[in-house]
Amino acid sequence: MDAQDLAQLGDKEFEQLLTSNIHPPTRDARTWAAIIHPDNLPRARKILTHVHERTASVLRRRKTEREEFRVECFARGDAGKHEWFATRADFESLRRRTANFHQRVQRAITELGQEQRNVNRTQSHTAGQQSRETLRELAVAVQRHQDVHAREGGGADQTDHELWQHLDRLTVPTGPGQHPTTLRTMLGVYWTDPQPLGDTPEHPAPAERAVPSGTAARPGVPQARRADERGDPAARALPLDPSG
């Protein structure tokens, strides 16, 4: 059964399939993979938590009932005591089976919780990468806007300057130490414009940008440029980190 098939099951069928696969030595690998799929994982955790609460309630109720039965039996003298001891083995056997199942459910809940944390980390990392790429595109657009004014000699007003200043104010974490690095430095060292102004007929092509030796070009991935091309002293001090 795959994740999509599992998602179509009602809660009762889902629970039956889930509880029959909570014990690692006897579980079906394909079914468990469907259970921990991100689309089914929250539901599996919710259902298994209810199962855990239900079995805990059963254990408590049986313990209370057993104690009440003991008091009743002992109150009837030897005949009652004989009845209580005669039922003890069956009660203990049932209690152990229920307790073992309860513990397996608890371990499975812990396992599903770890799987959920893994999913959360993956989703957070993906969202962070998407946000970083969006910020890169925005920084490139602001830089293009500033370059147009510089090349055409047009007058810049206060709003233009306020926009450009964000390249020096906003930072992103970079490198193993996650040091804050300004967007302008990122543009000078790590990020490049995939279509600089010189690539369009309206603007002459600038001098060829240098790519660090040993850096292989990858299709669709902008290559890093030398920091000193933009005259940014702070950028020169940063090591090239293509993962930025």
Side-chain angles (χ1 to χ4, degrees), residues 1-9 14 17 28-44:
M1 175 174 291
D2 60 18
Q4 186 174 3
D5 293 333
L6 183 64
Q8 303 303 316
L9 296 180
F14 193 106
L17 196 62
D28 178 74
R30 183 179 179 186
T31 300
W32 188 253
I35 289 171
I36 63 175
H37 188 279
D39 292 343
N40 294 321
L41 187 53
R43 184 186 183 193

Side-chain angles (χ1 to χ4, degrees), residues 18-217:
L18 176 58
T19 54
S20 64
N21 282 275
I22 59 174
H23 193 39
T26 59
R27 73 173 46 144
D28 178 74
R30 183 179 179 186
T31 300
W32 188 253
I35 289 171
I36 63 175
H37 188 279
D39 292 343
N40 294 321
L41 187 53
R43 184 186 183 193
R45 294 181 67 198
K46 181 179 179 180
I47 289 178
L48 206 57
T49 298
H50 288 164
V51 172
H52 187 262
E53 293 171 350
R54 194 164 64 236
T55 55
S57 177
V58 168
L59 287 169
R60 289 192 299 269
R61 186 178 70 251
R62 287 178 180 170
K63 181 179 180 181
T64 299
E65 291 173 350
R66 182 65 179 173
E67 178 59 23
E68 292 174 350
F69 181 62
R70 186 192 68 81
V71 172
E72 178 190 338
C73 288
F74 278 48
R76 289 191 283 114
D78 291 341
K81 291 179 181 180
H82 177 76
E83 181 180 357
W84 188 82
F85 283 111
T87 59
R88 186 174 183 177
D90 288 340
F91 172 80
E92 287 298 325
S93 176
L94 179 60
R95 185 195 64 79
R96 282 194 298 270
R97 290 197 302 271
T98 305
N100 288 340
F101 175 76
H102 186 64
Q103 291 173 359
R104 289 178 181 178
V105 170
Q106 177 61 61
R107 288 193 291 268
I109 290 175
T110 301
E111 189 175 353
L112 292 181
Q114 181 59 54
E115 292 292 342
Q116 186 65 65
R117 287 189 289 274
N118 292 339
V119 170
N120 293 344
R121 281 194 294 268
T122 299
Q123 292 177 343
S124 177
H125 179 68
T126 300
Q129 287 181 320
Q130 293 174 343
S131 298
R132 195 178 185 91
E133 175 59 20
T134 298
L135 187 59
R136 185 195 71 81
E137 293 174 354
L138 179 61
V140 168
V142 173
Q143 183 186 54
R144 287 182 184 177
H145 179 263
Q146 187 174 15
D147 286 348
V148 167
H149 277 269
R151 290 170 183 266
E152 296 183 350
D157 56 27
Q158 182 62 28
T159 56
D160 292 322
H161 289 291
E162 291 176 356
L163 176 63
W164 302 336
Q165 287 171 0
H166 284 301
L167 296 179
D168 301 301
R169 292 174 178 172
L170 298 180
T171 64
V172 293
T174 307
Q178 295 293 280
H179 301 294
T181 307
T182 66
L183 299 186
R184 193 177 299 281
T185 298
M186 294 297 294
L187 287 166
V189 179
Y190 306 122
W191 296 342
T192 58
D193 187 346
Q195 185 179 0
L197 294 179
D199 289 351
T200 61
E202 294 83 1
H203 302 278
E208 182 179 357
R209 296 180 176 86
V211 177
S213 60
T215 302

